[in-house]
PDB file of all heavy atoms in Angstrom:
ATOM      1  N   ASN E 461     -10.432  19.010   4.165  1.00  0.00           N
ATOM      2  CA  ASN E 461     -11.660  19.466   3.514  1.00  0.00           C
ATOM      3  C   ASN E 461     -12.059  20.767   4.201  1.00  0.00           C
ATOM      4  O   ASN E 461     -12.589  20.739   5.301  1.00  0.00           O
ATOM      5  CB  ASN E 461     -12.756  18.391   3.673  1.00  0.00           C
ATOM      6  CG  ASN E 461     -14.115  18.879   3.200  1.00  0.00           C
ATOM      7  OD1 ASN E 461     -14.220  19.907   2.525  1.00  0.00           O
ATOM      8  ND2 ASN E 461     -15.157  18.147   3.549  1.00  0.00           N
ATOM      9  N   LYS E 463     -14.345  22.805   3.484  1.00  0.00           N
ATOM     10  CA  LYS E 463     -15.776  23.130   3.409  1.00  0.00           C
ATOM     11  C   LYS E 463     -15.938  24.610   3.027  1.00  0.00           C
ATOM     12  O   LYS E 463     -15.099  25.154   2.321  1.00  0.00           O
ATOM     13  CB  LYS E 463     -16.462  22.769   4.722  1.00  0.00           C
ATOM     14  CG  LYS E 463     -16.165  21.319   5.141  1.00  0.00           C
ATOM     15  CD  LYS E 463     -17.057  20.798   6.211  1.00  0.00           C
ATOM     16  CE  LYS E 463     -16.675  19.358   6.532  1.00  0.00           C
ATOM     17  NZ  LYS E 463     -17.571  18.714   7.467  1.00  0.00           N
ATOM     18  N   ILE E 543     -13.503  15.725  -3.997  1.00  0.00           N
ATOM     19  CA  ILE E 543     -14.461  15.021  -3.136  1.00  0.00           C
ATOM     20  C   ILE E 543     -15.770  14.879  -3.909  1.00  0.00           C
ATOM     21  O   ILE E 543     -16.232  15.837  -4.534  1.00  0.00           O
ATOM     22  CB  ILE E 543     -14.706  15.838  -1.848  1.00  0.00           C
ATOM     23  CG1 ILE E 543     -13.415  15.972  -1.029  1.00  0.00           C
ATOM     24  CG2 ILE E 543     -15.804  15.190  -1.003  1.00  0.00           C
ATOM     25  CD1 ILE E 543     -13.512  16.960   0.135  1.00  0.00           C
ATOM     26  N   HIS E 546     -19.972  13.851  -0.660  1.00  0.00           N
ATOM     27  CA  HIS E 546     -19.885  14.155   0.773  1.00  0.00           C
ATOM     28  C   HIS E 546     -21.293  14.135   1.368  1.00  0.00           C
ATOM     29  O   HIS E 546     -22.257  14.530   0.706  1.00  0.00           O
ATOM     30  CB  HIS E 546     -19.230  15.526   0.975  1.00  0.00           C
ATOM     31  CG  HIS E 546     -18.878  15.775   2.406  1.00  0.00           C
ATOM     32  ND1 HIS E 546     -19.817  16.159   3.330  1.00  0.00           N
ATOM     33  CD2 HIS E 546     -17.707  15.658   3.078  1.00  0.00           C
ATOM     34  CE1 HIS E 546     -19.222  16.270   4.517  1.00  0.00           C
ATOM     35  NE2 HIS E 546     -17.943  15.969   4.390  1.00  0.00           N
ATOM     36  N   SER E 547     -21.417  13.719   2.602  1.00  0.00           N
ATOM     37  CA  SER E 547     -22.759  13.588   3.200  1.00  0.00           C
ATOM     38  C   SER E 547     -23.495  14.927   3.231  1.00  0.00           C
ATOM     39  O   SER E 547     -24.724  14.962   3.173  1.00  0.00           O
ATOM     40  CB  SER E 547     -22.672  12.994   4.601  1.00  0.00           C
ATOM     41  OG  SER E 547     -21.995  13.870   5.464  1.00  0.00           O
ATOM     42  N   GLU E 548     -22.730  16.037   3.305  1.00  0.00           N
ATOM     43  CA  GLU E 548     -23.409  17.344   3.284  1.00  0.00           C
ATOM     44  C   GLU E 548     -24.021  17.618   1.909  1.00  0.00           C
ATOM     45  O   GLU E 548     -25.052  18.277   1.807  1.00  0.00           O
ATOM     46  CB  GLU E 548     -22.417  18.447   3.704  1.00  0.00           C
ATOM     47  CG  GLU E 548     -22.101  18.353   5.191  1.00  0.00           C
ATOM     48  CD  GLU E 548     -20.723  18.852   5.596  1.00  0.00           C
ATOM     49  OE1 GLU E 548     -20.047  19.526   4.804  1.00  0.00           O
ATOM     50  OE2 GLU E 548     -20.316  18.537   6.741  1.00  0.00           O
ATOM     51  N   GLU E 617     -16.993   8.054   6.009  1.00  0.00           N
ATOM     52  CA  GLU E 617     -17.320   9.144   6.931  1.00  0.00           C
ATOM     53  C   GLU E 617     -18.680   8.880   7.573  1.00  0.00           C
ATOM     54  O   GLU E 617     -19.721   9.220   6.990  1.00  0.00           O
ATOM     55  CB  GLU E 617     -17.365  10.482   6.184  1.00  0.00           C
ATOM     56  CG  GLU E 617     -16.050  10.879   5.559  1.00  0.00           C
ATOM     57  CD  GLU E 617     -15.912  12.393   5.454  1.00  0.00           C
ATOM     58  OE1 GLU E 617     -16.832  13.052   4.940  1.00  0.00           O
ATOM     59  OE2 GLU E 617     -14.896  12.908   5.916  1.00  0.00           O
ATOM     60  N   ALA E 621     -20.445  11.266  12.935  1.00  0.00           N
ATOM     61  CA  ALA E 621     -19.138  11.678  13.453  1.00  0.00           C
ATOM     62  C   ALA E 621     -18.644  12.983  12.828  1.00  0.00           C
ATOM     63  O   ALA E 621     -17.652  13.544  13.275  1.00  0.00           O
ATOM     64  CB  ALA E 621     -18.115  10.572  13.201  1.00  0.00           C
ATOM     65  N   ILE E 622     -19.348  13.471  11.804  1.00  0.00           N
ATOM     66  CA  ILE E 622     -18.847  14.644  11.073  1.00  0.00           C
ATOM     67  C   ILE E 622     -19.185  15.924  11.822  1.00  0.00           C
ATOM     68  O   ILE E 622     -20.356  16.234  12.051  1.00  0.00           O
ATOM     69  CB  ILE E 622     -19.436  14.685   9.653  1.00  0.00           C
ATOM     70  CG1 ILE E 622     -18.923  13.494   8.847  1.00  0.00           C
ATOM     71  CG2 ILE E 622     -19.073  15.994   8.962  1.00  0.00           C
ATOM     72  CD1 ILE E 622     -19.526  13.375   7.474  1.00  0.00           C
ATOM     73  N   GLY E 623     -18.132  16.624  12.217  1.00  0.00           N
ATOM     74  CA  GLY E 623     -18.310  17.925  12.864  1.00  0.00           C
ATOM     75  C   GLY E 623     -18.960  17.854  14.233  1.00  0.00           C
ATOM     76  O   GLY E 623     -19.353  18.882  14.793  1.00  0.00           O
ATOM     77  N   THR E 624     -19.075  16.660  14.791  1.00  0.00           N
ATOM     78  CA  THR E 624     -19.785  16.500  16.062  1.00  0.00           C
ATOM     79  C   THR E 624     -18.852  16.306  17.238  1.00  0.00           C
ATOM     80  O   THR E 624     -19.279  16.381  18.389  1.00  0.00           O
ATOM     81  CB  THR E 624     -20.687  15.252  16.008  1.00  0.00           C
ATOM     82  OG1 THR E 624     -19.871  14.120  15.705  1.00  0.00           O
ATOM     83  CG2 THR E 624     -21.778  15.395  14.953  1.00  0.00           C
ATOM     84  N   GLY E 659     -12.971   9.609   7.860  1.00  0.00           N
ATOM     85  CA  GLY E 659     -13.290  11.014   8.142  1.00  0.00           C
ATOM     86  C   GLY E 659     -14.413  11.116   9.145  1.00  0.00           C
ATOM     87  O   GLY E 659     -15.322  10.273   9.163  1.00  0.00           O
ATOM     88  N   GLY E 660     -14.378  12.148   9.947  1.00  0.00           N
ATOM     89  CA  GLY E 660     -15.403  12.372  10.968  1.00  0.00           C
ATOM     90  C   GLY E 660     -14.737  12.676  12.295  1.00  0.00           C
ATOM     91  O   GLY E 660     -14.353  11.761  13.020  1.00  0.00           O
ATOM     92  N   SER E 661     -14.564  13.990  12.547  1.00  0.00           N
ATOM     93  CA  SER E 661     -13.937  14.445  13.801  1.00  0.00           C
ATOM     94  C   SER E 661     -12.554  13.828  14.029  1.00  0.00           C
ATOM     95  O   SER E 661     -12.144  13.587  15.156  1.00  0.00           O
ATOM     96  CB  SER E 661     -14.855  14.180  15.007  1.00  0.00           C
ATOM     97  OG  SER E 661     -16.055  14.929  14.885  1.00  0.00           O
ATOM     98  N   MET E 662     -11.830  13.590  12.941  1.00  0.00           N
ATOM     99  CA  MET E 662     -10.430  13.176  13.107  1.00  0.00           C
ATOM    100  C   MET E 662      -9.648  14.418  13.537  1.00  0.00           C
ATOM    101  O   MET E 662      -9.875  15.514  13.024  1.00  0.00           O
ATOM    102  CB  MET E 662      -9.867  12.628  11.791  1.00  0.00           C
ATOM    103  CG  MET E 662      -8.614  11.780  11.969  1.00  0.00           C
ATOM    104  SD  MET E 662      -7.859  11.399  10.379  1.00  0.00           S
ATOM    105  CE  MET E 662      -7.641   9.648  10.511  1.00  0.00           C
ATOM    106  N   LEU E 680      -9.744  12.074   5.935  1.00  0.00           N
ATOM    107  CA  LEU E 680     -10.397  13.243   5.332  1.00  0.00           C
ATOM    108  C   LEU E 680     -10.810  14.121   6.501  1.00  0.00           C
ATOM    109  O   LEU E 680     -11.625  13.712   7.323  1.00  0.00           O
ATOM    110  CB  LEU E 680     -11.594  12.812   4.476  1.00  0.00           C
ATOM    111  CG  LEU E 680     -12.344  13.930   3.732  1.00  0.00           C
ATOM    112  CD1 LEU E 680     -11.421  14.746   2.836  1.00  0.00           C
ATOM    113  CD2 LEU E 680     -13.477  13.342   2.879  1.00  0.00           C
ATOM    114  N   ILE E 681     -10.206  15.293   6.565  1.00  0.00           N
ATOM    115  CA  ILE E 681     -10.231  16.074   7.794  1.00  0.00           C
ATOM    116  C   ILE E 681     -10.904  17.414   7.568  1.00  0.00           C
ATOM    117  O   ILE E 681     -10.475  18.183   6.707  1.00  0.00           O
ATOM    118  CB  ILE E 681      -8.767  16.296   8.272  1.00  0.00           C
ATOM    119  CG1 ILE E 681      -8.059  14.947   8.447  1.00  0.00           C
ATOM    120  CG2 ILE E 681      -8.736  17.105   9.560  1.00  0.00           C
ATOM    121  CD1 ILE E 681      -6.662  14.950   7.889  1.00  0.00           C
ATOM    122  N   GLY E 682     -11.952  17.694   8.324  1.00  0.00           N
ATOM    123  CA  GLY E 682     -12.662  18.961   8.194  1.00  0.00           C
ATOM    124  C   GLY E 682     -12.092  20.005   9.127  1.00  0.00           C
ATOM    125  O   GLY E 682     -11.059  20.623   8.858  1.00  0.00           O
ATOM    126  N   GLY E 683     -12.756  20.207  10.253  1.00  0.00           N
ATOM    127  CA  GLY E 683     -12.403  21.291  11.183  1.00  0.00           C
ATOM    128  C   GLY E 683     -10.928  21.351  11.536  1.00  0.00           C
ATOM    129  O   GLY E 683     -10.333  22.439  11.567  1.00  0.00           O
ATOM    130  N   ALA E 684     -10.325  20.204  11.785  1.00  0.00           N
ATOM    131  CA  ALA E 684      -8.926  20.194  12.239  1.00  0.00           C
ATOM    132  C   ALA E 684      -7.951  20.582  11.132  1.00  0.00           C
ATOM    133  O   ALA E 684      -6.782  20.879  11.410  1.00  0.00           O
ATOM    134  CB  ALA E 684      -8.565  18.819  12.803  1.00  0.00           C
TER     135      ALA E 684
HETATM  136  P1  PGA C1432     -14.837  16.966  10.449  1.00  0.00           P
HETATM  137  O1  PGA C1432     -15.317  16.847   8.932  1.00  0.00           O
HETATM  138  O2  PGA C1432     -13.418  16.513  10.496  1.00  0.00           O
HETATM  139  O3  PGA C1432     -15.003  18.431  10.795  1.00  0.00           O
HETATM  140  O4  PGA C1432     -15.730  16.076  11.268  1.00  0.00           O
HETATM  141  C1  PGA C1432     -14.882  15.794   8.112  1.00  0.00           C
HETATM  142  C2  PGA C1432     -15.566  15.874   6.779  1.00  0.00           C
HETATM  143  O5  PGA C1432     -16.768  16.182   6.748  1.00  0.00           O
HETATM  144  O6  PGA C1432     -14.948  15.635   5.724  1.00  0.00           O
END
Side-chain angles (χ1 to χ4, degrees):
N461 172 14
K463 308 194 180 186
I543 297 170
H546 191 281
S547 65
E548 289 151 14
E617 298 208 309
I622 294 175
T624 57
S661 297
M662 199 189 230
L680 182 56
I681 304 136

